[in-house]
Amino acid sequence: MSILTTITGVILLGAALMLVGVLSSALARRLGVPLLLVFLAIGMAAGEDGPGGLIFSDFQATYAVGSVALALILFDGGLRTPITAFRGTLAPAGTLATVGVLMTAAITGLVAWLTLPLGPVEALLIGAVVASTDAAAVFFLLRTRGVKLPRRVGAVLEIEAGVNDPAAVVLTLVLIAIIQAGRQSPLDLALDIALQVVVGGGAGVAAGWLLARTLNRLDLAQGLHPLLVAASAVATYAAATLAGGSGFLAVYLAGLIVGNRPIRARSQIVEFHDALTWLAQIAMFVLLGLLVTPHKLLDQGIGAVAVALALMLVARPVAVFLCLWPFGFTWRERAFVSWVGLRGAVGIFLASIPVLASMPGGQIYFNVAFAVVLVSLLIQGWTIAPAARALGLALPLDPAPRARVELDLPGQLDLEMVGYRVDPGSPALTRTLPPWTRLVLVVRGDAVLEAGEAGGLRPGDHAYFLAPPWRAPDLDRLLAPNPGAAPEVVGEFILPGHATLGVLGEMYGIATPVDETDRTLSDLFAQRLRHAPEVGDRLMLGDAMLIVRAVEAGAATRVAMRLTPDPEDRPELADKVERAAARLKAALRRKRR
Amino acid sequence: MDISDLISPSAVMANLKAGSKKQALQDLARRAATLAGINGKAEEREVFEVLLERERLGTTGVGAGIAIPHGKLARLDGLYGLFAKLDQPIDFEAVDEQPVDLVFVLLAPESAGADHLKALARVSRLLRDRSVCERLRGCDQADAIYAILTESAAPRAA
């Protein structure tokens, strides 16, 4: 009986910790504390030196949970990275993830050698353990701190974090092998690294491709798709690692591929992995907080803080400034990238390997790494947003994305149902819909109406559209109350409001009355519109459509020139939408009878 | 108006190396001058200035990695198009901040009138097609790129 009670007690404890983690997130958000720090603190508070007093020192269990959690977090990171983010950023991010990791490890190792009671190789191991920026921490903090960064800076940080863990893992494992077995020839070392990358990369690509294919081919019950994906992600990690490759690289690539192919149940999968990533974060950080014995951190206190400061203030900046040198980043951008070199669970996780391998002084690595991560989260994590603003890199936030409901159509990858609540002022109320979408259903009050019966949209309606999944963001724009904040459509040329009709006439042959050559585009809008120009207002000038893109002090300051009307772009798609809409309507009619 | 009326096979570059927007425009201006038969340093400079002047007015980086620099030049004898797929995407101050790797330069004679606008419309309609851009990006041969650019100029079966 008592063993069952014990087990149930452990279950209750685990659930309680999770619950505290979830609930504390609301508080943390209000206070602006980095959430990861909160999770870590919860673990520490429950642990042996805190009020909880739990004694937990199971490095094996932590390693297992940590591996799975990390695999899921990296997979999610890949899943959410559009492949276009790589354009122009792969080279700088790749350099940071390889050369940058080596440089960071070397400089940090040097400081560790000077301040801690360790030999040179052991000190280098400390450097290696904390050399990679943490994907979990970076993805997470960039997305939750409410800062929008210039695309290239954000992409470099995220991609670096996604691909530098394998580099740090390989470096750590190699150094441990050297410490344990004595010397290893440089050739073996190079071979080992090549094997990690080739096997890991190959396994990741293969798994991603296979998974996307399986998802689309296999008929599964509703709700099983996300599980298939999650299980495959963990399996990819484990199989690649067993085969001698880098499991973390594999799982990141697999996520990237799945996320960038048309797949069934995409919105379910993304949502599920969102939740799973939270779970992984909380579990990993709470467990690591439990595992550490805070008072022992003080043994290496001064040395550990020195290592942490050296890493933040010297090693990372040097590595970033040198690695990004050839890629044309401004000093402000490089300074910001240096500052967002967040360390996280990977470092602590790697530092638990020496303990697992029962290396002499294994605890030292763990304690130092823990202190470094703690300091990094505390100082850097807390200051990301202010740093971005101070360096002039924070962009104005996009309006909150529209709450849209996406519904898969069984047996159909090209189209889905997208639902919105129609707000007053959304362009869809007045505009004709583009040819790639159809209004199918309107829910008005208690009534469910077909598009035809509804007689157009009204504010407060819930509207369901049929559209290709990749068009959903465009649909968001049609349903957003302020159309102007939306980015321009490809194919528009941007002109300043002060450009004159004369210049347009000269450059584009747009006929302009002789006496109007001095008139500016701002004037033109002011005169023709009869009301103060608003973003999204449009008028025709010759064959060109002019659209207001920005307004300041009641005048159009930025005008887009659109040369062709939107439709006739993809007639075959329009047909397809039409036919699918007809089928849906028929089905609906049958159901209602 | 067809794309093949605007561009000749010799006006396509498969892997243009350019480190910056300015450098890309300079290179393209040089090629364009040669193509239009107005060789000479001063002429290259003139083409470059015309393109640059248009960029000063507002970027021609129209989004999704595409730029369509254009301008008018008195001494041309017709419309001249030039297409380059860049070796590495570059910052073009594009409307969506995305780096640019597909560049279609369009030069028109002073007398072009409305044709300039029509040609621009044709080019931007072509490059707005995601599948065309995807195929262009996956292509490393100038002649194959030319084929992609011009084949879609044929009217589509509706």
Side-chain angles (χ1 to χ4, degrees), chain A residues 87-88 151 470 488-496 499 503 506-510 558 563-564 566 568-569 572, chain B residues 54 57-59 62-65 68 70 72 89 95 97-99 101 113 116-117 120-121 125 128 130 137 156:
Chain A
R87 281 206 287 132
R151 191 196 70 90
W470 52 270
E488 290 85 342
V489 183
V490 178
E492 292 179 344
F493 294 95
I494 298 299
L495 297 164
V503 168
E506 221 174 277
M507 199 169 269
Y508 298 116
I510 297 172
R558 198 168 141 91
L563 297 175
T564 38
D566 249 339
E568 94 236 0
D569 261 359
E572 72 288 353
Chain B
R54 176 61 186 84
L57 197 60
T59 181
V62 293
I68 312 179
H70 55 270
K72 263 187 174 177
V95 290
E97 305 278 346
Q98 299 253 18
D101 61 352
H116 188 195
L117 209 58
L120 271 177
R125 196 161 76 228
R128 202 150 33 142
R130 290 178 191 222
R137 289 196 169 101
R156 285 193 185 184

Side-chain angles (χ1 to χ4, degrees), chain A residues 18 42 238 326 489:
Chain A
M18 185 61 68
I42 291 171
V489 183

Side-chain angles (χ1 to χ4, degrees), chain A residues 81-98 151-152 155-160 162-163 249 252-253 256 323-324 327 329, chain B residues 88-89 99:
Chain A
T81 307
I83 216 98
T84 49
F86 281 86
R87 281 206 287 132
T89 47
L90 192 55
T95 312
L96 272 178
T98 50
R151 191 196 70 90
R152 210 154 83 107
V156 162
L157 278 167
E158 293 207 348
I159 293 168
E160 179 207 2
V163 296
L249 179 64
Y252 179 73
L253 285 177
L256 196 64
C323 287
L324 294 187
F327 299 108
F329 284 84
Chain B
Q88 287 287 324

Side-chain angles (χ1 to χ4, degrees), chain A residues 409-573:
Chain A
L409 298 182
Q412 173 65 272
L413 289 175
D414 294 347
L415 292 171
E416 63 177 6
M417 286 271 265
V418 193
Y420 295 89
R421 212 186 87 92
V422 182
D423 287 333
S426 71
L429 288 169
T430 49
R431 275 190 53 178
T432 28
L433 290 175
W436 42 261
T437 187
R438 282 289 175 284
L439 177 64
V440 183
L441 263 185
V442 177
V443 180
R444 183 173 294 156
D446 291 336
V448 179
L449 306 170
E450 263 178 41
E453 299 170 317
L457 291 173
R458 290 184 206 159
D461 284 350
H462 288 263
Y464 290 81
F465 298 89
L466 202 58
W470 52 270
R471 281 289 198 179
D474 299 323
L475 212 49
D476 288 357
R477 228 168 280 157
L478 278 173
L479 273 299
N482 175 10
E488 290 85 342
V489 183
V490 178
E492 292 179 344
F493 294 95
I494 298 299
L495 297 164
H498 60 73
T500 61
L501 296 187
V503 168
L504 287 190
E506 221 174 277
M507 199 169 269
Y508 298 116
I510 297 172
T512 317
V514 186
D515 57 344
E516 286 197 351
T517 51
D518 282 334
R519 186 186 290 270
T520 64
L521 294 180
S522 319
D523 293 345
L524 186 74
F525 271 100
Q527 179 209 11
R528 286 229 206 144
L529 285 177
R530 294 158 203 262
H531 63 81
E534 278 172 30
V535 173
D537 282 338
R538 50 192 67 202
L539 54 81
M540 295 300 292
L541 184 71
D543 285 334
M545 177 187 275
L546 300 176
I547 306 164
V548 178
R549 286 299 176 203
V551 173
E552 260 175 59
T557 52
R558 198 168 141 91
V559 174
M561 180 173 74
R562 192 182 286 178
L563 297 175
T564 38
D566 249 339
E568 94 236 0
D569 261 359
R570 294 175 59 115
E572 72 288 353
L573 187 62

